[in-house]
Amino acid sequence: MSSAKDQENATVTARRDFLKAMAGTSAAAAAVVVGADAAEAQTAGRENRNERTKARYQANSANVQAFYRTNRY
């Protein structure tokens, strides 16, 4: 004979086990996604020497001039 208290404890335990399993599954899925993004970023981030040393900021370009024209202080 099981009492209502024993049955309630079994229900709570089953619920906890389910939630633990769901948390573990979501953590594993997140780790896989983060690992894939890191590997992709590592291969995509490779630049050759010329690309690393080229000038990127051009003060006389149209978009830079427009920025300073519209944001005068």
Side-chain angles (χ1 to χ4, degrees), residues 3-27:
S3 67
K5 184 96 169 154
D6 291 337
Q7 190 174 17
E8 183 180 327
N9 286 342
T11 303
V12 170
T13 303
R15 187 179 310 136
R16 285 183 187 159
D17 290 341
F18 173 74
L19 292 174
K20 285 180 188 177
M22 293 306 292
T25 303
S26 62

Side-chain angles (χ1 to χ4, degrees), residues 25-50:
T25 303
S26 62
V32 168
V33 169
V34 169
D37 288 343
E40 182 180 317
Q42 194 174 38
T43 58
R46 303 284 170 127
E47 295 183 69
N48 63 22
R49 182 178 168 88
N50 291 335

